[in-house]
Amino acid sequence: AVNSSGGARRTSLVTGANTGIGRVTATELARRGDRVILACRSEAKTRPVIREIVAETGNEAVEFLPLDLGDLKSARRAADSLNERGNPIDVLVANAGLAGQRGQTRQGFELAFGTNHMGHFAFVTGVLDLLRAGTDSRLVVVSSDAHYDAKGIDLGRVRGRTRTVTGLREYATSKLANVLFAQEVARRVPDEELWVGAVHPGVIATDVWRGVPRPARPALRKVLKMKPPAEGATTSLTCATSDVWADRSGGYFSENEPKDPSPVATPELAARLWDYSQEWLAGA
């Protein structure tokens, strides 16, 4: 298969691709001629988006993969189905996430940590061999500048229900986990096999905020100076498609510029988080 520019067709996968930044990212990758997999929880909400992407880009190689990041078994099933097919993945954008919600995941993790970190940990590590087999492979982990607000990760307290009223402290912790995860993958996989980056898209008006009460949303958008999703996808797309930061694998990129992550994001904490995550996944 060839893409619109005459090269071999690449396979790109975007989690949470039926709304917001993920949808824009998937659309632009399809426009580039990639075979694009939309890994999302709801098939009913994703099918119409796939039809719109196909109509908008003329690329019919767009498909749905069921993935519920709040359930580690679902993440494993999604990875297994891709491994059974055996097709290399050239770009994986770990985009899905939630903020400002409270609760816990199916396996009992705090909702933000369990969904934003553990779900992606299970899925991405499950398809790591397919990524390593890709051509000029990229892993883009969508984090947030909110990770600077986290003082660290208390690995003994990431199970159980959300403790704060807003859930934003837990969100910050989950986004720090995203940065640490990207750093650790970059340390474990040689640069020539996989380029890895964690990104802050900017403060974007997307479904990540769907837990915030509807009447409060306009005020929140104004206070946080939220930008539209089309602008938010820029950094993810640069990391997924450009060589501008080829020598910065494992780096953090904020609003399309390289940036130092939180000083809390140390190799030691990244390694501990990885080990704990593997143990939790094995016991799930």
Side-chain angles (χ1 to χ4, degrees):
V2 296
N3 64 18
S4 53
S5 59
R9 171 166 274 166
R10 292 167 66 76
T11 295
S12 292
L13 185 150
V14 184
T15 69
N18 59 344
T19 63
I21 298 167
R23 179 175 178 160
V24 175
T25 304
T27 302
E28 293 310 312
L29 291 169
R31 201 186 305 282
R32 197 174 78 135
D34 291 13
R35 171 175 166 251
V36 181
I37 301 168
L38 281 70
C40 307
R41 191 171 50 182
S42 167
E43 183 166 5
K45 289 179 180 175
T46 308
R47 289 287 172 201
V49 173
I50 288 175
R51 286 195 290 273
E52 285 166 22
I53 291 173
V54 169
E56 193 179 325
T57 65
N59 181 351
E60 294 188 1
V62 185
E63 62 183 87
F64 168 72
L65 176 73
L67 172 64
D68 179 356
L69 291 165
D71 180 2
L72 296 178
K73 288 186 170 63
S74 169
R76 273 215 188 101
R77 276 196 301 272
D80 288 346
S81 70
L82 292 171
N83 284 312
E84 279 164 25
R85 283 198 246 170
N87 300 323
I89 298 170
D90 303 294
V91 173
L92 196 162
V93 183
N95 164 86
L98 50 81
Q101 294 187 55
R102 305 176 74 240
Q104 61 191 112
T105 62
R106 189 158 292 184
Q107 282 78 25
F109 292 93
E110 189 281 317
L111 190 60
F113 183 87
T115 304
N116 298 350
H117 168 65
M118 280 303 298
H120 274 127
F121 181 89
F123 178 66
V124 174
T125 57
V127 297
L128 211 45
D129 286 346
L130 297 178
L131 270 168
R132 295 173 82 148
T135 304
D136 185 25
S137 296
R138 317 285 181 96
L139 168 62
V140 182
V141 181
V142 178
S143 178
S144 167
D145 274 358
H147 90 274
Y148 292 107
D149 297 333
K151 304 292 181 273
I153 301 179
D154 184 341
L155 295 165
R157 291 182 65 169
V158 294
R159 300 201 129 173
R161 296 184 65 77
T162 312
R163 291 166 188 252
T164 66
V165 174
T166 62
L168 293 180
R169 189 190 303 162
E170 288 84 356
Y171 174 71
T173 300
S174 76
K175 294 288 110 178
L176 173 60
N178 289 156
V179 172
L180 293 164
F181 174 59
Q183 291 176 344
E184 190 64 15
V185 174
R187 272 190 285 274
R188 286 167 177 263
V189 183
D191 289 5
E192 59 270 18
E193 289 185 25
L194 179 65
W195 184 95
V196 188
V199 306
H200 168 61
V203 183
I204 312 297
T206 71
D207 262 14
V208 75
W209 302 101
R210 61 186 171 271
V212 175
R214 206 168 279 276
R217 289 179 198 175
L220 187 70
R221 275 200 287 271
K222 200 170 176 183
V223 169
L224 295 177
K225 298 185 173 66
M226 288 187 180
K227 299 189 291 193
E231 287 183 43
T234 305
T235 314
S236 293
L237 287 164
T238 300
C239 287
T241 64
S242 167
D243 290 330
V244 65
W245 300 315
D247 59 344
R248 302 187 72 128
S249 184
Y252 181 67
F253 306 89
S254 178
E255 299 187 64
N256 230 25
E257 295 288 341
K259 187 175 179 181
D260 288 333
S262 166
V264 174
T266 63
E268 293 76 24
L269 184 56
R272 282 187 67 219
L273 176 64
W274 184 284
D275 290 344
Y276 269 78
S277 301
Q278 276 194 317
E279 281 179 35
W280 290 325
L281 186 57

